[in-house]
Amino acid sequence: MNLAAATNENLANISNTLIYSSMAVYTLAFFAHIAEWVFGSRSKVGRTAAALTGPVTAGSAVKGRVAQKDGGTAVLERPTVVTRSAAGTRDVPDGPGAAGGTFKGDLWGRIAVSLTVVAFAVQAGGVVARALSVQRAPWGNMYEFSITFSTVAVAAYLILLALRKNVRWIGLLLVTTVLLDLGIATTTLYTDSDQLVPALHSYWLWIHVSTAIICGAVFYLGAVGTLLYLFRDSYENKIANGGTPGRFATSVLERLPAAKTLDTFSYRINAAVFPLWTFTIIAGAIWAGDAWGRYWGWDPKEVWSFITWVAYACYLHARATAGWKGRKAAYLALIAFGCWLFNYYGVNIFVTGKHSYAGV
């Protein structure tokens, strides 16, 4: 074995070690996020949520009325809480977050974020080491794509936190997903470092695949927001109709941002990255023209990329259509992200096409 081959093998081993190390730190972050939610449940949220479980009518206002004093004693009536300001709309404030406004909850939340930053740095180092070991872009197969995808997803989350956006509620689901992604990558999708087939030796690999990874990571954040919106919206609907949410809803869903906030977050995330997904498809077509002499050949990967584009286009159009706002549009968003997932896992594993050259 020559010196260059030995160096590349050492770098590959370093990459593997860093990826496994990042999984260990992400696991610590996972438990810290759990502690944040647990300690946050012991806050005033549990007490004030009781007011939300009483019968509330549409358009009601927050009022705290004091009865006439009788013998020097004032009787405070149960307050009513705003749940709808007008037909079809709500006036509900955002929840206090996973920490629930408690010191311990906030402390554990900060520890979780700090651990996530450390894990991200270690994982990013693993991706870079993998790139150095093969001396190319580190996304030539599903293993490399997966470890890079979760790295970019965490990076997007940390950037939002750095911009002081209220997104710490994503933390637990994000870390859980990253652990699942890395677990699948290291056990099922792992592929030894190797060079690419001639068709992939192009600068378009850096452009096309990198934008696909960025789009997938951001679409994932939008999907999380959409899923939580559906749960929170059902919770608010139940309250508005005079229902009594269960203990889980009272403890967990009450701490999330309002349904309107979650809906707006998901829409802005998906709308912001949709033009980049459009560019990704165009870049892939140009690369196909260079590699195979045709821009579009109805390859399964090309077809499902276009189906994903159409699904997100339908979602964005639905948001602009009065009759399809809210839950209907949210379902479209989840279907669109499901198309993206199938385009990655389903097409790569179960369907044979020109994009099968890299194996798993």
Side-chain angles (χ1 to χ4, degrees):
M1 181 182 295
N2 58 38
L3 180 61
T7 301
N8 292 340
E9 183 177 353
N10 289 335
L11 287 171
N13 292 333
I14 291 173
S15 172
N16 295 339
T17 300
L18 289 174
I19 294 299
Y20 280 110
S21 298
S22 71
M23 293 175 66
V25 183
Y26 277 126
T27 301
L28 296 177
F30 171 80
F31 286 114
H33 274 299
I34 292 291
E36 178 187 16
W37 281 95
V38 170
F39 285 110
S41 66
R42 302 173 183 177
S43 69
K44 62 182 180 181
V45 173
R47 298 191 298 272
T48 57
L52 294 174
T53 61
V56 182
T57 59
S60 61
V62 176
K63 298 178 181 178
R65 294 181 296 175
V66 179
Q68 294 293 330
K69 292 185 177 181
D70 182 11
T73 301
V75 180
L76 182 64
E77 295 181 358
R78 173 192 289 267
T80 55
V81 181
V82 172
T83 57
R84 291 181 183 270
S85 57
T89 62
R90 296 192 187 94
D91 187 11
V92 179
D94 290 340
T102 65
F103 173 78
K104 281 189 175 181
D106 183 64
L107 176 61
W108 280 106
R110 292 177 182 274
I111 292 173
V113 172
S114 299
L115 289 171
T116 302
V117 172
V118 173
F120 163 76
V122 175
Q123 184 183 5
V127 173
V128 172
R130 177 78 176 197
L132 293 175
S133 71
V134 293
Q135 299 180 2
R136 57 168 171 77
W139 40 75
N141 50 59
M142 288 187 69
Y143 168 74
E144 295 172 354
F145 190 102
S146 294
I147 63 175
T148 307
F149 165 80
S150 53
T151 303
V152 175
V154 175
Y157 166 70
L158 295 178
I159 289 172
L160 291 175
L161 285 178
L163 295 174
R164 299 186 181 278
K165 302 297 182 181
N166 178 25
V167 294
R168 207 162 82 184
W169 44 270
I170 298 178
L172 179 58
L173 286 176
L174 174 67
V175 170
T176 303
T177 303
V178 170
L179 284 172
L180 289 173
D181 174 73
L182 293 179
I184 294 173
T186 54
T187 58
T188 304
L189 303 178
Y190 182 78
T191 303
D192 290 330
S193 300
D194 199 1
Q195 294 304 312
L196 301 176
V197 296
L200 291 180
H201 284 287
S202 170
Y203 61 88
W204 283 106
L205 174 66
W206 291 89
I207 300 173
H208 172 64
V209 183
S210 64
T211 55
I213 292 173
I214 294 172
C215 289
V218 178
F219 280 147
Y220 163 77
L221 295 181
V224 171
T226 301
L227 184 64
L228 293 180
Y229 156 75
L230 291 172
F231 282 108
R232 172 76 188 204
D233 184 65
S234 296
Y235 170 73
E236 293 180 7
N237 272 334
K238 193 167 189 177
I239 294 171
N241 294 324
T244 302
R247 293 181 61 183
F248 172 81
T250 301
S251 175
V252 176
L253 298 181
E254 173 60 23
R255 283 180 276 167
L256 292 175
K260 181 179 179 181
T261 301
L262 291 169
D263 185 42
T264 302
F265 168 81
S266 302
Y267 170 69
R268 289 177 177 175
I269 286 288
N270 290 325
V273 78
F274 180 73
L276 186 61
W277 182 248
T278 304
F279 171 78
T280 300
I281 295 176
I282 295 173
I286 296 174
W287 188 11
D290 290 343
W292 301 316
R294 52 69 169 172
Y295 294 103
W296 193 266
W298 299 103
D299 182 76
K301 178 71 71 173
E302 296 170 347
V303 171
W304 276 96
S305 295
F306 180 68
I307 290 174
T308 302
W309 184 91
V310 171
Y312 273 108
C314 290
Y315 163 72
L316 296 175
H317 177 72
R319 285 297 306 254
T321 305
W324 278 83
K325 288 182 178 179
R327 298 183 68 87
K328 291 181 179 180
Y331 293 138
L332 283 177
L334 292 181
I335 291 173
F337 184 68
C339 291
W340 188 92
L341 284 179
F342 181 79
N343 186 34
Y344 175 51
Y345 286 104
V347 173
N348 284 4
I349 296 175
F350 302 111
V351 182
T352 302
K354 283 187 172 293
H355 288 77
S356 301
Y357 39 68
V360 297

